[in-house]
Amino acid sequence: MLTQTTTRVLEPSDLDAALAVLDRDPVANAFVTSRVQVAGLDPWRLGGEMWGWYEDGALTSLCYAGANLVPICATPRAVRAFADRARRAGRRCSSVVGPAEPTAQLWRLLEPSWGPAREVRSHQPLMVTDRLPDPAEVTPDPYVRRIRKDEMDTIMPACVAMFTEEVGVSPMAGDGGLLYQARVAELVGSGRSFARLGPDGRVLFKAEIGAATPHACQIQGVWVDPEHRGRGLAAPGMAAVLRYALADVAPLVSLYVNDFNTAARRTYQRVGFQEVGAFMSVLF
């Protein structure tokens, strides 16, 4: 029997079918799910297109094509179809990121026409927890709190420093940082930006809950001021953010981390995060 397959750009009327695919892996798909739940599938509101892969009339795989190219529940056949579409469209994204296996396959197919990448991070452990750490091991930092809307000037330099250190380029390049500042403001405004401030008002530790759905959320942007590293701020700070996340956002909390960042991985393990998979990022 012949199997009919096709890809197409999804439309707002495809929302329920797309959410059903995203719900198959609420942890790995938290970033895209959170955007779709807010913006739907309209490209203008979503900030990109959602491509769908159909087999026998059923939507089985997705690929978000915006500032990032993200394969979602993508089978090998779906990845090949998404790669063909991406090649035809040309590179418009700043990264390819997603679960390691389909992302690696996608990059192998795209690299001859899109490469070389500025950096490839082939194994980024995906970690999850559903509970606070044992207080005998790590006590949440009582000085970590939500950042207020009137504290944008306080948190912004730390956010820029974190992004530049993590990604290797400043988020203030290109458009002067307008999009990045808008994203930081969105997180602050929604109560998902957290920090510990020193006596002089400078940020010593910060982190955000970047993606949030009813099933899972994702911590991102974890950063300690370089002058205060090695002083035991990271684990209590993470425990404090985790407490907020579990109480106010979702029953599962995730993050992904570079495999070479052994200090961060040890911190997350101390707080109770366990490795459940891996992501991969290709940076341009």
Side-chain angles (χ1 to χ4, degrees), residues 21 24 53-55 58-62 72-75 78:
V21 175
R24 293 195 334 235
W53 166 256
Y54 288 81
E55 297 195 26
L59 182 64
T60 60
S61 301
L62 305 170
I72 301 155
C73 298
T75 64

Side-chain angles (χ1 to χ4, degrees), residues 142-160:
Y143 296 103
V144 169
R145 61 170 176 82
R146 282 188 169 94
I147 292 297
R148 302 188 306 266
K149 294 179 182 179
D150 64 351
E151 294 177 311
M152 276 292 295
D153 289 344
T154 298
I155 198 66
M156 197 66 198
C159 292
V160 172

Side-chain angles (χ1 to χ4, degrees), residues 42 132 143 178 221:
D42 177 79
L132 289 172
Y143 296 103
L178 293 177

Side-chain angles (χ1 to χ4, degrees), residues 192-195 205-209 219-223 237-238 241:
R192 304 209 308 266
S193 176
F194 303 87
F205 165 89
K206 77 156 198 79
E208 297 93 37
I209 301 172
I219 293 177
Q220 65 175 41
V222 181
W223 182 84
M238 281 296 297
V241 177

Side-chain angles (χ1 to χ4, degrees), residues 148-187:
R148 302 188 306 266
K149 294 179 182 179
D150 64 351
E151 294 177 311
M152 276 292 295
D153 289 344
T154 298
I155 198 66
M156 197 66 198
C159 292
V160 172
M162 178 282 304
F163 187 99
T164 304
E165 183 178 342
E166 170 66 19
V167 180
V169 297
S170 171
M172 309 305 284
D175 65 353
L178 293 177
L179 285 175
Y180 187 69
Q181 291 180 72
R183 176 57 176 159
V184 173
E186 177 189 349
L187 292 172

